[in-house]
Amino acid sequence: MEMAGTARWRWLAAVPSVLGFAVALRCVWDFGWTGRGTPAPVAPPQRLVVVGFYRHVRNPMYVGFAAGWIALWVMRIENGEPVVARFRGRNGKVSSMVFLDGASVMHTDGVEMLPEQHAVYSLHYNYGSNGKLRECTGEAYQWNPDTKLFDYKHRLGKKLTRDTCRKVPQHN
C-alpha cells in the first residue's frame, strides 16, 4: 500500500517538472530560432526575443527551470508522504530553498546535484555592461542523514566555486 502512495506522489511531482522543463526548452528554442543565439552568454541572441512565453514573463526560462528543478529536488517521500527538503544556511537557520537554473545575457544561475558528495551546488555569475566577468560565487549544501538537513558547507562550496569559476567564459 505504501508503494502505491509513494508512486502517486512521484507522479504529482512529475507534472510541474515536465511542464517547467517544457517551458524552459521552448525558451531555448525561441532564443535559437527567433533570436539567432543561445541562452549562454558566449553566444547570446542577436535579436530581441518577444515571442512565446517572453510575451508574458520577463525571464520565463528561469521560471521554467525553477519549476522543473523544484519539483524534482525539493520533494522527498518519507513514509509515503511528500517532505520538503530543508537546508541549514551559513547563518545556522533552517529553511526550504529555491534554486534557479538559467541564463540571460548578463546573468547565469546554475544548480548541480553532486551524488558522490551527497550535495547540491549552486553557482551564480554576472557580467558587467562592459562584458567582463564581474562576479562569480557559489555555495554547497551537503546532506546530513542524522539531522535530515542539507547543511551549508563552506569548504566544499569554496573549492567548487574556485574550480567552476575558472571555467566561466570570459568576454572580450
Side-chain angles (χ1 to χ4, degrees), residues 15-60:
V15 172
S17 179
V18 169
L19 291 175
F21 287 126
V23 167
L25 289 174
R26 168 62 195 264
C27 293
V28 170
W29 169 264
D30 288 340
F31 265 40
W33 185 255
T34 303
R36 303 285 183 229
T38 71
V42 293
Q46 303 303 306
R47 299 182 198 157
L48 181 63
V49 178
V50 290
V51 299
F53 295 104
Y54 286 95
R55 288 183 187 160
H56 311 289
V57 180
R58 182 174 181 175
N59 201 331

Side-chain angles (χ1 to χ4, degrees), residues 150-169:
F150 284 93
D151 290 326
Y152 173 76
K153 294 294 182 181
H154 176 75
R155 206 174 270 166
L156 178 60
K158 188 174 180 178
K159 179 195 178 309
L160 291 168
T161 299
R162 182 182 62 244
D163 295 346
T164 307
C165 288
R166 287 182 185 153
K167 299 173 190 171
V168 170

Side-chain angles (χ1 to χ4, degrees), residues 5-172:
T6 300
R8 182 180 71 235
W9 283 110
R10 286 185 182 150
W11 278 109
L12 283 175
V15 172
S17 179
V18 169
L19 291 175
F21 287 126
V23 167
L25 289 174
R26 168 62 195 264
C27 293
V28 170
W29 169 264
D30 288 340
F31 265 40
W33 185 255
T34 303
R36 303 285 183 229
T38 71
V42 293
Q46 303 303 306
R47 299 182 198 157
L48 181 63
V49 178
V50 290
V51 299
F53 295 104
Y54 286 95
R55 288 183 187 160
H56 311 289
V57 180
R58 182 174 181 175
N59 201 331
M61 199 177 306
Y62 280 134
V63 175
F65 276 122
W69 288 121
I70 288 168
L72 288 178
W73 292 343
V74 173
M75 289 187 69
R76 290 188 340 233
I77 305 298
E78 195 172 280
N79 297 325
E81 298 294 323
V83 178
V84 174
R86 295 179 310 151
F87 295 79
R88 185 187 332 261
R90 68 183 87 193
N91 62 2
K93 292 184 179 179
V94 176
S95 66
S96 54
M97 293 184 99
V98 174
F99 295 100
L100 296 177
D101 192 8
S104 66
V105 175
M106 296 178 69
H107 181 79
T108 297
D109 285 311
V111 181
E112 200 174 332
M113 294 296 285
L114 306 169
E116 62 281 352
Q117 287 124 337
H118 304 286
V120 178
Y121 175 64
S122 178
L123 173 73
H124 324 278
Y125 59 92
N126 297 294
Y127 293 97
S129 58
N130 62 359
K132 302 275 186 208
L133 186 64
R134 184 177 45 161
E135 176 186 37
C136 186
T137 63
E139 52 204 25
Y141 298 88
Q142 196 166 38
W143 178 249
N144 182 334
D146 296 329
T147 61
K148 296 189 178 189
L149 297 171
F150 284 93
D151 290 326
Y152 173 76
K153 294 294 182 181
H154 176 75
R155 206 174 270 166
L156 178 60
K158 188 174 180 178
K159 179 195 178 309
L160 291 168
T161 299
R162 182 182 62 244
D163 295 346
T164 307
C165 288
R166 287 182 185 153
K167 299 173 190 171
V168 170
Q170 301 291 322
H171 295 197
N172 293 330

